[in-house]
Amino acid sequence: MRIAIGSLQCEGNSLTPVLTRREDFDYAEGPAMLGKLLLGDDFRGLELVPTLYAHALPGGPVVREDFLDLAHRLVEAVPREGIDGVWLYLHGAMWVQGIGSGDTYLLRLLRERIGPRIPVSVAMDFHADNSDEIPELVNCLCAFRTAPHEDHRETQRRAMAALVTCIRKGILPRPQLSRADVIIEGDAVQTAAPPLREIMAAAAEMERTIPGMLSVQVCNGQPWIDAWYTGPSFVVTHESDTALAKACADRLARMFYDARHDFRFAVEALEPEEAVRRAMAAREAPVFLSDSGDNPTAGAAGDNAFLLNRLRAAGAKNVLIAGIMDRAACRRCYEARLGETVTVTVGASLDRRSERATLTGRVVHRGDILSYQHDNGGPSATLDCGDMTVVITERRAALCRPDIFASIDLDYRRYAIVAVKLGYLFPELAAEAPRSILAFTPGSSTERLQDMGLRHIRRPIYPLDDNFL
């Protein structure tokens, strides 16, 4: 059994001015890409034909020319003949300048190369925004079942197992898609909490108990994509019964719509000033304070000093700002000696809508930081400004796991408040957080649909509209 494999990912955000370029992708091609995936030894009997792996930190639109280069490289490495199937690991919310859905474009390009008779299975993110065309181009779609995400390995393997089933049985399933005309704040949609917990359980029950069911998939979508298809989608793949698959997808979509008023943030979610006040008054330490509107893991710039300025104005003490992106400020810290006092301005280096702040402090650490994707995140510097310690990074970064803090010798446990550019805390950090507060800060990953300025989403849609079914 000969299977071509490839992966091209960037979770898009069409609301940010920060473009994603070729150099932003962690890249490997041919056999070198195999170590980037999590298929393990479960499929030893398969002959895998590697193409390329290219993953970027969530960000703004991918530059058209750079995307086309990567997409064509991947597809042209797929043999036209002599393969039994194609397995792809995509995100589902890649946004490309002048193109829109990069995932749709890539799959269309692939079909033009291999034709309609070769089965294609894709692994995707829970936050995939699936266009109507995607289930017409693939034979099975599997996506993460957890948010926060903890099943990357399982999802990749499920997609491969489904593909193997298609090849062995000689079938070409046709996935069926339904939509819920709802967009819920991404950080209020967590799979372990109601009402999504019950919807996920219903999907799992369908997949487990219905004979011939390959995949029953719930995708919440990425709300910061300004497109007609943005929002929750339900993709069900049965080996042969498309009517049954569509009925299951419709049922899940209706469950999601009916539960639209029941979604809640798992932690305190407050206006910035109240979030700061509560963090300062907290008995727990450290309190993690999420700067949700400037979240790099949702594609934002990560360069807004808004929350830093609010904490400073409130007189907060023993605060860690983890962190803020500013290339010029980071380089200035590298020009100084360790222990030297410098004055730098941070903020608004990528997004002109961001606030700035002037900092004076001692350079207490310099060194490369571990990235959100477990590789080298580039230079960082830590400034001790007295009541506030600030991590400044040369590139966009997300301090979302304990090992990222450890990579720059930073012990967040010794601070009263840790301000992070995240929405919900990633599981590894949440496990160590005595208390977490999400602040409704401004930015291109703002939590409120009403503040996003989306012009191309379909209407009616909740919460802009209600009670329309």
Side-chain angles (χ1 to χ4, degrees), residues 67-76 80 102-115 133 137:
F67 166 77
L68 291 176
D69 175 62
L70 292 169
H72 281 273
R73 282 175 182 266
L74 190 159
V75 170
E76 288 166 11
R80 288 185 183 275
D103 307 283
T104 304
Y105 184 99
L106 175 66
L107 289 166
R108 194 185 304 130
L109 198 65
L110 176 66
R111 277 299 177 199
E112 290 171 359
R113 183 169 180 84
I114 66 172
E133 199 174 348
L137 295 166

Side-chain angles (χ1 to χ4, degrees), residues 3 53 69 142 146 286 348 367 395 423 428:
I3 296 173
Y53 169 103
D69 175 62
C142 299
T146 60
R395 307 177 201 163
E428 302 94 329

Side-chain angles (χ1 to χ4, degrees), residues 180-218:
D181 291 325
V182 174
I183 298 181
I184 304 293
E185 302 93 335
D187 294 298
V189 182
Q190 298 194 34
T191 52
L196 188 59
R197 180 180 61 199
E198 288 69 32
I199 298 170
M200 300 299 289
E205 178 75 6
M206 293 174 187
E207 187 173 306
R208 183 174 61 253
T209 62
I210 298 176
M213 194 66 82
L214 282 176
S215 175
V216 180
Q217 191 58 58
V218 176

Side-chain angles (χ1 to χ4, degrees), residues 373-417:
Q373 297 168 294
H374 299 273
D375 56 7
N376 190 317
S380 76
T382 304
L383 277 186
D384 180 353
C385 304
D387 291 333
M388 184 175 287
T389 298
V390 182
V391 176
I392 305 170
T393 60
E394 184 174 285
R395 307 177 201 163
R396 292 188 311 126
L399 282 82
C400 58
R401 300 189 311 271
D403 60 334
I404 299 177
F405 288 85
S407 72
I408 54 172
D409 298 331
L410 194 55
D411 182 4
Y412 52 80
R413 300 171 189 84
R414 66 185 183 89
Y415 294 92
I417 298 172

Side-chain angles (χ1 to χ4, degrees), residues 386-465:
D387 291 333
M388 184 175 287
T389 298
V390 182
V391 176
I392 305 170
T393 60
E394 184 174 285
R395 307 177 201 163
R396 292 188 311 126
L399 282 82
C400 58
R401 300 189 311 271
D403 60 334
I404 299 177
F405 288 85
S407 72
I408 54 172
D409 298 331
L410 194 55
D411 182 4
Y412 52 80
R413 300 171 189 84
R414 66 185 183 89
Y415 294 92
I417 298 172
V418 180
V420 288
K421 289 190 177 294
L422 295 171
Y424 53 59
L425 297 186
F426 280 41
E428 302 94 329
L429 214 52
E432 300 196 19
R435 186 170 177 184
S436 176
I437 300 173
L438 184 146
F440 289 125
T441 51
S444 54
S445 60
T446 176
E447 295 286 349
R448 294 191 182 92
L449 179 65
Q450 297 91 329
D451 297 338
M452 293 180 192
L454 303 178
R455 300 190 304 275
H456 302 294
I457 56 172
R458 63 193 181 278
R459 300 290 293 272
I461 197 163
Y462 177 84
L464 301 182
D465 314 285

Side-chain angles (χ1 to χ4, degrees), residues 2 8 20 45 118-119 141 145 175 249 260 266 271 318 348 360 371 379 382 385 403 406 409 411 415-416 442 444 457:
R2 194 163 184 252
L8 176 55
T20 301
I118 300 295
L141 185 154
R145 289 170 164 159
R260 65 195 181 281
E271 296 301 323
N318 196 21
T360 299
S371 84
T382 304
C385 304
D403 60 334
D409 298 331
D411 182 4
Y415 294 92
S444 54
I457 56 172

Side-chain angles (χ1 to χ4, degrees), residues 90 106 108 119 138 190 202 207 224 253 267 307 337 345 360 397 463:
L90 309 178
L106 175 66
R108 194 185 304 130
V138 306
Q190 298 194 34
E207 187 173 306
W224 301 288
V267 300
L307 189 57
R337 300 183 304 276
T345 299
T360 299

